[in-house]
Amino acid sequence: MSQGRRGRADTSVLYFFFKFIVFSIIFFVCAILLFQVLLLQNTQALVCAVSSVQQYRSMPTHGIGKYRHLLPKALPKKKKDRVQVKQIKAATATEFGVFNVCVSGYDMTLVEHYSQYIHNLCNHLDIKVDESYALPTKSTEVMVMQEQGTKMYLDAVLKTHERIVQISEMKATLFPIFMDVVLKNQPEGVRFCVKQHSETDFQARFKTRPELEGLLAKINN
Amino acid sequence: MAAPFSRVYRPLWRIITTSTLNRGVRNVSSSRQQLSAQNVKPAGAASPWALHGAVCVQRLPAVSQDRSPIEEEFMELMHQKDVSSSERCLADSLILLVKKHVGSQKLWLLPQIQWQTGETLRQTAERALASLPGADLTATFLGNAPCGFYKYKYPKDIQKEGSVGAKVFFFKAVLPSHKHLPLEKNSFAWVKKEELQDFLKPEYLKQVRRFIMAL
């Protein structure tokens, strides 16, 4: 009898244990599901991802005016490094390499407008413009000889302005058309030429440093 | 004075996106291959089309301002009607046309000459310019790629098995502005784009018009 009772007690304990396990499993599963549901609701509440600020206020419109997190990250300003020499691309069979279109003349408005016209033309035709810069103005003094005597005096100063538009990777088939358009719209008094870009052209833009050169000469000597 | 964009760019896009230029690119690269690797084509597969190179020499406009009425009348009296003078119509760009025997007829054409093996089409065009009788023109060629193309078949009685017709590739060139050379009246003409229709045959004109820009 006691055995029976013990057996019954045993089975009841076992039964109880079994029930406990089942209920615990159910409880955990429900908890997980609930947690996921809550998480989903949370992510739906957060309008734009990538925000480090936690939405802990209860109003759904909390933080509605925030925009700083939408702007691109502004990097801290670096000090200007020395300008590196860019690799000059070589010409292939169907494309030109890097070449400079030089526009020069005495009248600055004409020269500027013509170079701007060429630049806009390239943009419109999807031609890659690497750089568009101006070379320093060169002054030419016009000296006139006096009527009686050998002395020359200054009559006028002519300033030559020069603008360069650097073009790279232009297709060879487009080049004659481009040249035709540019030549036909060349204003009077403006000189136009197309030159291959070279290392010397690049270096000519920099100022010379006489002290450095003097010191280098001293070291070499 | 910069030309307004709309006038120039509509025909420009039509020129760029047509298939003639693609054909031109293929031909340019194949002629270069012929120079570098001599035995690309097998011996027997010559195409039935003879190749010609032609040059479209332009005298660019020298003046951009409109003329006053007195100047207009003066120009009309002096040079306008003389088609062979290269100093007419200084405000427009002019193209050189040559009267040439083609088969049995005399036709007005852009100067062209047959292509010879071993030279690029651009060299053919340069030869065409240099071989013009009486004219000592040195023009600057704008690029190695042709700008236009015209294909015509020979009349039936001349057609043989090996030759069906000819294909002409046009190259653009520009005259230096300070040179003005007198040319023979009857065989040379400097014409504007509007006057081309009085000189060229309609089919030829249709192809030539596509690459000539009137400012």
Side-chain angles (χ1 to χ4, degrees), chain A residues 13-29:
Chain A
V13 163
L14 201 67
Y15 207 59
F16 179 67
F17 189 59
F18 182 65
K19 263 195 206 170
F20 171 73
I21 286 174
V22 167
F23 277 125
S24 64
I25 287 168
I26 290 169
F27 170 74
F28 276 120
V29 165

Side-chain angles (χ1 to χ4, degrees), chain B residues 94-129:
Chain B
L94 301 176
I95 300 152
L96 181 66
L97 289 183
V98 167
K99 205 166 192 183
K100 211 179 147 180
H101 286 281
V102 173
S104 52
Q105 306 165 324
K106 268 207 149 184
L107 293 174
W108 282 104
L109 300 169
L110 294 178
Q112 74 183 47
I113 207 166
Q114 180 125 17
W115 170 75
Q116 289 164 353
T117 45
E119 66 173 3
T120 60
L121 272 175
R122 178 175 154 165
Q123 286 169 355
T124 316
E126 282 167 358
R127 226 169 19 102
L129 191 58

Side-chain angles (χ1 to χ4, degrees), chain A residues 93 121 173 180 184-185 188, chain B residues 9 25 32 58 64 172 213:
Chain A
L121 180 66
T173 45
D180 208 17
K184 283 190 172 151
N185 289 302
E188 296 120 318
Chain B
Y9 292 163
V25 169
R32 277 197 201 145
Q58 299 177 83
S64 68
K172 270 198 181 162
M213 277 190 282

Side-chain angles (χ1 to χ4, degrees), chain A:
Chain A
M1 287 250 301
S2 58
Q3 278 182 349
R5 258 192 234 142
R6 243 185 273 132
R8 239 181 283 137
D10 280 337
T11 52
S12 73
V13 163
L14 201 67
Y15 207 59
F16 179 67
F17 189 59
F18 182 65
K19 263 195 206 170
F20 171 73
I21 286 174
V22 167
F23 277 125
S24 64
I25 287 168
I26 290 169
F27 170 74
F28 276 120
V29 165
C30 287
I32 287 164
L33 283 173
L34 194 70
F35 183 65
Q36 278 183 349
V37 165
L38 282 172
L39 207 68
L40 218 78
Q41 281 178 351
N42 256 355
T43 49
Q44 278 172 5
L46 284 172
V47 176
C48 297
V50 194
S51 114
S52 52
V53 176
Q54 262 190 327
Q55 302 270 334
Y56 61 91
R57 299 291 187 197
S58 54
M59 274 296 271
T61 58
H62 176 71
I64 196 168
K66 283 191 187 158
Y67 66 91
R68 275 289 179 88
H69 60 284
L70 298 170
L71 296 174
K73 291 244 169 113
L75 296 160
K77 239 186 177 180
K78 289 189 291 183
K79 250 179 34 179
K80 268 191 182 171
D81 298 326
R82 180 167 296 188
V83 179
Q84 300 297 327
V85 178
K86 261 189 261 182
Q87 272 295 315
I88 297 176
K89 286 173 198 152
T92 65
T94 49
E95 282 181 1
F96 284 94
V98 182
F99 61 90
N100 293 343
V101 172
C102 317
V103 178
S104 63
Y106 296 128
D107 189 358
M108 190 171 88
T109 47
L110 280 181
V111 169
E112 281 260 344
H113 286 188
Y114 191 47
S115 72
Q116 283 169 13
Y117 171 74
I118 294 173
H119 201 324
N120 284 330
L121 180 66
C122 293
N123 288 344
H124 186 83
L125 296 176
D126 290 328
I127 299 171
K128 198 164 146 203
V129 173
D130 269 352
E131 277 174 52
S132 173
Y133 54 88
L135 291 182
T137 317
K138 296 183 189 127
S139 299
T140 315
E141 288 176 343
V142 178
M143 314 282 276
V144 177
M145 189 97 120
Q146 266 184 346
E147 285 170 11
Q148 293 116 23
T150 50
K151 202 175 161 186
M152 305 246 270
Y153 64 92
L154 186 66
D155 193 30
V157 175
L158 291 173
K159 290 191 189 164
T160 308
H161 308 270
E162 200 169 330
R163 301 282 181 273
I164 290 186
V165 179
Q166 194 175 90
I167 295 171
S168 68
E169 294 170 5
M170 176 188 262
K171 293 210 181 285
T173 45
L174 185 54
F175 187 71
I177 302 169
F178 173 75
M179 283 298 290
D180 208 17
V181 173
V182 165
L183 280 170
K184 283 190 172 151
N185 289 302
Q186 188 180 357
E188 296 120 318
V190 167
R191 249 165 286 132
F192 163 81
C193 74
V194 174
K195 286 187 279 196
Q196 197 88 17
H197 184 63
S198 64
E199 187 76 26
T200 43
D201 287 332
F202 180 75
Q203 296 294 348
R205 290 178 71 191
F206 294 106
K207 280 195 210 171
T208 55
R209 293 157 121 198
E211 320 97 31
L212 188 68
E213 283 172 13
L215 289 170
L216 279 170
K218 271 191 191 170
I219 292 168
N220 289 337
N221 290 343

Side-chain angles (χ1 to χ4, degrees), chain B residues 25-207:
Chain B
V25 169
R26 259 183 258 136
N27 200 69
V28 165
S29 53
S30 69
S31 58
R32 277 197 201 145
Q33 279 168 14
Q34 279 174 356
L35 280 182
S36 56
Q38 294 286 317
N39 300 317
V40 172
K41 267 198 238 165
S47 93
W49 299 92
L51 289 180
H52 291 257
V55 62
C56 165
V57 189
Q58 299 177 83
R59 192 229 59 193
L60 294 174
V63 160
S64 68
Q65 282 179 337
D66 294 329
R67 284 190 292 267
S68 64
I70 298 177
E71 285 178 15
E72 288 271 358
E73 282 175 41
F74 183 70
M75 286 308 288
E76 260 179 57
L77 288 172
M78 296 301 290
H79 287 298
Q80 290 282 74
K81 299 305 170 194
D82 180 16
V83 187
S84 72
S85 155
S86 70
E87 289 180 60
R88 59 189 293 256
C89 303
L90 287 175
D92 302 304
S93 53
L94 301 176
I95 300 152
L96 181 66
L97 289 183
V98 167
K99 205 166 192 183
K100 211 179 147 180
H101 286 281
V102 173
S104 52
Q105 306 165 324
K106 268 207 149 184
L107 293 174
W108 282 104
L109 300 169
L110 294 178
Q112 74 183 47
I113 207 166
Q114 180 125 17
W115 170 75
Q116 289 164 353
T117 45
E119 66 173 3
T120 60
L121 272 175
R122 178 175 154 165
Q123 286 169 355
T124 316
E126 282 167 358
R127 226 169 19 102
L129 191 58
S131 69
L132 291 173
D136 195 17
L137 302 166
T138 44
T140 322
F141 276 78
L142 308 172
N144 293 328
C147 57
F149 164 78
Y150 176 63
K151 180 172 94 172
Y152 66 94
K153 287 189 175 173
Y154 297 139
K156 288 280 180 187
D157 42 350
I158 302 180
Q159 271 186 29
K160 292 176 280 188
E161 314 139 7
S163 64
V164 171
K167 291 184 178 176
V168 189
F169 289 90
F170 299 97
F171 287 81
K172 270 198 181 162
V174 157
L175 264 192
S177 55
H178 49 272
K179 267 191 187 175
H180 290 297
L181 300 155
L183 302 167
E184 284 174 39
K185 271 203 179 170
N186 287 330
S187 51
F188 292 93
W190 289 101
V191 289
K192 293 191 282 196
K193 189 176 175 180
E194 298 91 39
E195 297 164 1
L196 272 178
Q197 59 204 17
D198 303 327
F199 287 83
L200 300 178
K201 296 259 156 158
E203 281 299 315
Y204 192 74
L205 175 70
K206 203 167 122 187
Q207 293 296 326

